[in-house]
Amino acid sequence: MELNMIHNVFDRVAKKQKLLSSRTQELIDQVGWEIEQAKLKMQSSESTTGCTDPKSMLVDLKTKLNEIAPINQLEGLQKELNFGLGKYVKILEKCFNSDISKAHRKVDFDVHIVNQIIVTHFYRHGMFDIGDCFISEANEPEAAAIKSAFLEMHEIVEAIRCRNLEPALSWSSKQSEWLLQNGSSLELKLHQLQFVEILQNRSRNEALTYARTRLAPFAPVHMVTFQKLMACLLWAGKIHHSPYADFMSPSHWERVAEEFMHRFCSLLGQSYQSPLGVTIEAGIQGLPVLLKIESVMAAKKQEWLRMTELPVPVDLGREFHFHSIFICPVLKEQGSDENPPMMIPCGHVLSKQSIVKLSKNSTRAFKCPYCPSEATVAQSKQLYF
Amino acid sequence: MDMAIDSAPNGDASSSPAAPPAAGPLAPTTRLAQLAESLKLEHQFVRVPLEHLKKTMRTNYRLAEKEVAVVLSSVAEAVDSSDPMSRDDALTHLSSLVSRLQGLKRKLEEGSRVENLHAQRCRARLEHLDSVADADKFAEWKDVRLTRILVDYMLRMSYYDTAKKLAETSKMQELVDIDIFLVAKKIIDSLRNKEVAPALAWCAENKSRLKKSKSKLEFQLRLQEFIELVRADENLRAVSYARKYLAPWGATYMKELQHVVATLAFRHDTECSTYRVLFEPTRWDCLVEQFKQEFCRLFGMTNEPLLNIYLQAGLTALKTPLCCKEACSKEDPLSQEGFRRLAEPLPFSKLHHSKLVCYITKELMDHENPPLVLPNGYVYSTKALEEMASKKEGKITCPRTGEVCNFTDLTKAYIS
């Protein structure tokens, strides 16, 4: 995108705009001056005898004004300006897609669902004022249900950012079992941070008590970390001089805050990233493709509106691959429970339907479409991604 | 970047299991190309302040032209008139012209100031688009984009307070068009109040452009005023109103004109359904919608809120035929009820090549990180299995079934 070129064209337009502006003022001044001159002449002609008729002075004035021809000048400049503006508009229409709603389908987006999604987005990002304002303006009182959960999450995160781990610790001990079931060591990490805090900033004794009561239960499973932490007792108040200085690193705090938010959202049945943000990003990546398809199918508008499957793939970036999708290379169909992917001995993978077809209904051996090796249905193994 | 349309689905059956063209780490050129494509979608962003600037310039120009013409013709009249003019009269006359010009100057100074503001806004937006190239601030730029889209939605839905708050928190007043929508708000409020005057004034201001786009708005407004007169039983006034304001539109919209004028024969609480519908208050809602559409078109804005456009595109891009399994990652927006319901009537995007995601690491399993198959048929990425084997002395435990095997028992799968 040649933004520089667009800038330049705009600058030219802006110049013309300023020129017109200043010239207009000049012309008004000129006209005003001529009128003033005429007034002066009329006033001064009092003293001379044979005073001239005011009319003839007006005639002079009129001639002078016609010479200046302000209207013509203004028109000329305006024309040039309009020409420049027209050029700029054309450039914009050329460099940008002038109507991105062309690919938009006229389906009814339930406003309530959309508003609910927006509210959740606001609360998730801690924008509680804006969320409340939106709810009252959009009149969606039910959407506030999710607020308290996110409020709790943000309070705890704020506390972590202020190096206060109490709220986080109490939450994680309540959810201890769930966290362990889901393979999370969040509780240990929190205790670890707290221990290091106490050891560095308060007393060794306090830290020791803490280790005995809080860290010990984790020792059996995380022996290595536990031993390292206990060794830190030797450097109370000076951990940054110890071989375990990286326990002090501030990145631990950030990571623990992040993991906490991950787990909290997961427990809530929500994703960590705002789904609204993810979908919009996907839309931004996918829209150019959709617009191209629509323009290619321009003549067959009805077909475009009625299709249930796009004729070409929309390739999104990696961040949008949420689950595995297997496409049988032979039949180009998506794998499913009824038609799962099967691997044959040479290592290639086909859908079950393809194998059934190739083997003439499971009766004969068949050749792999990719390599010379042969296989039978019995040799094929179902894969689970 | 034409990779979607131009890459025909050839070579699939005959090629050896090579990586599909778009997979693999995104090369910098691809990322830049994607950025360029996404910038192309920002027409509204740069067009709206331009239209606003054009409008201001037009108003200022018309004012200057009119006033100067009046002054000139006034002088000409005085010259051409056959009445004698005393010197005092002439002086007074000329003085009034001078003060008129001074008034004009003041107005134009203010007008010029506003023009410069609008021009500055045009520039600011171009600069903002420029700044996307700054890799450090890219995440921020994307956040701002999302906020811009949300502000646009708020303004279209008339949630003005939320829009203002949003714009304030992100300090992006120059990047959004709140002031323009507030102008529309005044007119919309008046229409909701059953007044057509502000809307008609707006039509008069933009007469030539509305004519170019063959807009029906003024006609509809006049019709509604007529209906209101009939509703109030002011039939005589209604008839003279029709003669003055509706007749000129007869050439283009005769049928509709006749239909509405026939309401003269009925009362507003008539039983006849064909005419009762003309008295419905919902006609005012239609007028509001029509006005919104014309307004957006004049300013180069899309008819739909940007949010809806991007949401729909995103849902289509993310939608696959089988998205509703419980195993679906929570991170997939389509695992949420609301998104699924929105996506229902939309087409899904067909994939030509498999996209496999490792259950353990959630990373793509491709050429660089090929899938490995356990004896029980479960598949994980090489990276995940190698790491597991290094920690557990060459033993692999399937996370989903618990079965144990050796790293050496794994086989490679070739998937294109």
Side-chain angles (χ1 to χ4, degrees):
Chain A
M1 161 143 315
E2 315 93 346
L3 275 169
N4 271 336
M5 187 256 292
I6 301 180
H7 259 294
N8 288 341
V9 178
F10 181 73
D11 282 338
R12 284 204 284 270
V13 169
K15 253 201 199 136
K16 290 192 181 148
Q17 170 246 332
K18 288 215 168 78
L19 180 65
L20 177 57
S21 219
S22 62
R23 194 80 190 97
T24 311
Q25 293 282 5
E26 276 171 27
L27 284 170
I28 297 176
D29 285 338
Q30 262 187 303
V31 170
W33 190 81
E34 289 297 338
I35 297 182
E36 287 287 1
Q37 292 302 101
K39 270 174 68 182
L40 283 175
K41 261 196 245 161
M42 263 192 234
Q43 280 166 335
S44 66
S45 72
E46 222 168 50
S47 38
T48 55
T49 43
C51 57
T52 3
D53 168 36
K55 265 274 173 74
S56 67
M57 298 209 186
L58 286 179
V59 170
D60 279 345
L61 176 62
K62 178 175 163 188
T63 332
K64 288 243 173 62
L65 289 181
N66 281 346
E67 272 172 27
I68 302 178
I71 301 282
N72 287 353
Q73 287 200 42
L74 286 179
E75 270 178 6
L77 285 171
Q78 174 76 344
K79 227 185 186 168
E80 268 206 50
L81 176 58
N82 280 341
F83 181 67
L85 279 170
K87 242 181 103 183
Y88 184 58
V89 167
K90 278 212 183 74
I91 295 235
L92 286 187
E93 287 182 347
K94 193 174 107 178
C95 294
F96 292 92
N97 194 319
S98 54
D99 187 7
I100 60 174
S101 63
K102 273 215 186 106
H104 190 77
R105 289 187 159 69
K106 290 263 181 278
V107 290
D108 268 324
F109 257 16
D110 187 343
V111 178
H112 293 294
I113 300 185
V114 176
N115 286 352
Q116 179 100 356
I117 290 175
I118 295 179
V119 171
T120 316
H121 173 86
F122 284 144
Y123 285 149
R124 176 197 302 274
H125 287 274
M127 301 153 87
F128 295 106
D129 293 339
I130 297 186
D132 292 337
C133 181
F134 179 69
I135 285 189
S136 69
E137 267 193 306
N139 205 7
E140 303 268 359
E142 314 87 44
I146 199 110
K147 179 177 177 185
S148 53
F150 282 118
L151 205 49
E152 190 189 340
M153 180 178 96
H154 276 278
E155 276 167 8
I156 300 181
V157 171
E158 267 314 296
I160 295 180
R161 297 231 161 93
C162 298
R163 304 271 164 136
N164 170 13
L165 290 167
E166 285 311 312
L169 283 167
S170 83
W171 181 85
S172 65
S173 70
K174 262 190 264 166
Q175 309 294 350
S176 181
E177 219 178 283
W178 182 87
L179 284 169
L180 286 171
Q181 262 174 16
N182 284 277
S184 164
S185 57
L186 180 64
E187 226 188 329
L188 169 65
K189 293 203 180 90
L190 287 168
H191 283 303
Q192 175 181 317
L193 275 178
Q194 184 78 313
F195 172 77
V196 170
E197 264 299 282
I198 299 180
L199 190 55
Q200 180 69 0
N201 299 326
R202 292 186 249 166
S203 75
R204 187 198 305 237
N205 283 336
E206 222 184 301
L208 191 51
T209 333
Y210 195 84
R212 284 209 178 111
T213 47
R214 302 305 195 88
L215 285 179
F218 295 96
V221 183
H222 301 270
M223 182 54 75
V224 177
T225 318
F226 182 72
Q227 287 174 336
K228 282 194 187 152
L229 286 170
M230 295 311 286
C232 286
L233 283 167
L234 296 172
W235 282 274
K238 302 178 284 183
I239 304 185
H240 40 272
H241 291 307
S242 78
Y244 309 111
D246 56 79
F247 276 143
M248 297 280 296
S249 150
S251 67
H252 282 297
W253 292 86
E254 261 317 297
R255 270 184 287 164
V256 121
E258 253 184 60
E259 179 166 354
F260 164 72
M261 284 198 279
H262 256 109
R263 299 294 169 183
F264 191 99
C265 289
S266 191
L267 186 60
L268 218 54
Q270 298 272 348
S271 58
Y272 173 57
Q273 300 253 28
S274 160
L276 178 65
V278 170
T279 314
I280 302 271
E281 272 303 310
I284 289 172
Q285 282 194 22
L287 190 56
V289 177
L290 292 176
L291 287 169
K292 259 219 186 101
I293 301 178
E294 195 277 340
S295 73
V296 164
M297 296 184 73
K300 309 184 232 161
K301 188 78 188 216
Q302 280 314 304
E303 215 180 297
W304 161 254
L305 291 173
R306 269 182 298 138
M307 63 169 58
T308 49
E309 191 179 316
L310 296 178
V312 280
V314 178
D315 278 313
L316 295 177
R318 293 188 146 195
E319 60 269 28
F320 298 106
H321 300 152
F322 297 113
H323 47 234
S324 291
I325 302 176
F326 171 72
I327 307 284
C328 172
V330 174
L331 293 177
K332 294 289 186 203
E333 294 208 348
Q334 187 165 334
S336 64
D337 282 342
E338 299 83 32
N339 185 20
M342 312 283 287
M343 184 169 80
I344 46 183
C346 55
H348 291 119
V349 184
L350 309 168
S351 69
K352 193 165 191 171
Q353 269 180 23
S354 311
I355 291 187
V356 165
K357 267 206 184 132
L358 284 170
S359 65
K360 306 270 193 270
N361 245 330
S362 316
T363 51
R364 315 167 65 180
F366 59 92
K367 175 185 123 35
C368 164
Y370 286 93
C371 64
S373 47
E374 284 208 350
T376 61
V377 173
Q379 290 170 319
S380 60
K381 176 155 74 174
Q382 182 167 343
L383 292 187
Y384 303 90
F385 292 113
Chain B
M1 190 152 156
D2 292 347
M3 47 186 207
I5 298 275
D6 293 355
S7 64
N10 54 8
D12 291 340
S14 49
S15 66
S16 52
L26 275 185
T29 42
T30 319
R31 192 182 104 92
L32 275 180
Q34 226 170 43
L35 271 184
E37 279 299 318
S38 70
L39 281 189
K40 278 198 196 155
L41 302 172
E42 301 274 14
H43 181 87
Q44 175 175 315
F45 185 55
V46 290
R47 184 65 180 264
V48 174
L50 177 69
E51 291 300 328
H52 204 180
L53 173 64
K54 277 165 75 177
K55 193 168 181 186
T56 316
M57 293 197 291
R58 239 198 323 265
T59 316
N60 290 340
Y61 176 73
R62 281 205 196 123
L63 178 68
E65 197 191 35
K66 179 171 146 227
E67 290 289 298
V68 171
V70 160
V71 165
L72 289 182
S73 67
S74 165
V75 169
E77 260 173 41
V79 163
D80 294 338
S81 90
S82 42
D83 304 331
M85 184 178 268
S86 79
R87 202 195 46 205
D88 284 331
D89 279 345
L91 280 173
T92 339
H93 190 63
L94 289 180
S95 298
S96 78
L97 291 183
V98 170
S99 61
R100 193 171 184 142
L101 285 177
Q102 278 170 349
L104 175 64
K105 267 187 77 104
R106 273 196 304 273
K107 282 207 192 110
L108 285 182
E109 264 163 29
E110 174 59 21
S112 184
R113 190 189 67 85
V114 173
E115 271 178 31
N116 290 340
L117 273 178
H118 291 327
Q120 180 46 34
R121 186 176 283 199
C122 287
R123 271 208 197 85
R125 300 223 178 159
L126 288 177
E127 278 162 18
H128 182 75
L129 289 184
D130 251 336
S131 70
V132 79
D134 187 354
D136 294 331
K137 301 251 180 87
F138 187 53
E140 226 180 278
W141 195 92
K142 279 204 278 191
D143 279 340
V144 168
R145 175 168 57 193
L146 182 56
T147 313
R148 282 195 278 127
I149 293 174
L150 284 171
V151 171
D152 172 272
Y153 180 78
M154 303 298 163
L155 291 171
R156 310 270 190 145
M157 306 290 285
S158 311
Y159 307 146
Y160 301 103
D161 289 331
T162 317
K164 279 194 211 145
K165 279 206 163 82
L166 259 181
E168 270 162 22
T169 45
S170 321
K171 295 205 185 30
M172 37 188 285
Q173 281 90 339
E174 280 216 301
L175 306 179
V176 292
D177 302 307
I178 299 186
D179 44 357
I180 294 180
F181 275 93
L182 286 178
V183 167
K185 173 183 195 301
K186 289 208 184 93
I187 301 180
I188 293 175
D189 284 345
S190 72
L191 282 175
R192 292 241 158 87
N193 241 343
K194 312 228 162 101
E195 294 162 13
V196 293
L200 283 171
W202 184 85
C203 286
E205 257 177 52
N206 298 285
K207 206 180 178 83
S208 57
R209 299 191 66 198
L210 286 173
K211 200 160 163 201
K212 229 194 261 177
S213 60
K214 299 204 176 42
S215 159
K216 230 172 140 182
L217 180 63
E218 194 185 333
F219 179 51
Q220 303 281 42
L221 290 166
R222 297 280 183 204
L223 282 182
Q224 192 62 31
E225 238 185 343
F226 176 82
I227 292 177
E228 293 305 318
L229 285 171
V230 174
R231 192 201 301 271
D233 285 328
E234 307 229 23
N235 288 2
L236 285 179
R237 276 185 64 194
V239 170
S240 59
Y241 184 87
R243 279 220 190 96
K244 186 165 177 201
Y245 293 113
L246 294 180
W249 296 90
T252 357
Y253 302 114
M254 182 48 82
K255 268 203 139 16
E256 202 167 339
L257 180 59
Q258 286 174 338
H259 188 58
V260 171
V261 171
T263 53
L264 277 171
F266 298 85
R267 287 173 51 86
H268 63 96
D269 49 4
T270 176
E271 290 297 311
C272 173
S273 58
T274 343
Y275 287 95
R276 195 197 184 90
V277 74
L278 288 175
F279 289 107
E280 288 295 330
T282 46
R283 276 186 69 96
W284 287 100
D285 297 331
C286 291
L287 280 176
V288 169
E289 280 313 306
Q290 245 194 308
F291 168 71
K292 276 188 186 168
Q293 274 186 25
E294 292 290 352
F295 188 82
C296 289
R297 184 158 9 138
L298 233 53
F299 271 99
M301 296 193 257
T302 55
N303 238 335
E304 300 284 333
L306 295 177
L307 181 76
N308 290 14
I309 296 179
Y310 286 118
L311 252 187
Q312 217 192 73
L315 289 170
T316 301
L318 289 172
K319 189 175 177 188
T320 55
L322 310 154
C323 239
C324 342
K325 306 286 161 178
E326 323 76 50
C328 201
S329 155
K330 278 272 169 287
E331 297 299 320
D332 184 352
L334 285 169
S335 65
Q336 306 271 343
E337 170 78 23
F339 285 87
R340 265 215 293 280
R341 277 169 59 191
L342 289 178
E344 233 171 275
L346 301 175
F348 52 83
S349 128
K350 183 190 183 94
L351 290 170
H352 281 171
H353 297 286
S354 303
K355 278 201 166 68
L356 303 173
V357 175
C358 172
Y359 180 85
I360 302 176
T361 61
K362 307 287 184 253
E363 280 180 17
L364 202 62
M365 296 194 282
D366 57 8
H367 223 37
E368 324 253 318
N369 186 18
L372 291 175
V373 184
L374 274 59
N376 60 5
Y378 279 75
V379 183
Y380 304 100
S381 65
T382 307
K383 277 196 194 142
L385 293 173
E386 275 177 349
E387 192 177 326
M388 193 189 292
S390 68
K391 284 204 178 130
K392 303 277 172 73
E393 293 148 6
K395 288 252 180 277
I396 299 289
T397 314
C398 173
R400 287 177 276 187
T401 59
E403 276 178 46
V404 184
C405 67
N406 284 320
F407 188 82
T408 43
D409 297 331
L410 304 175
T411 38
K412 210 167 168 191
Y414 296 98
I415 305 192
S416 64

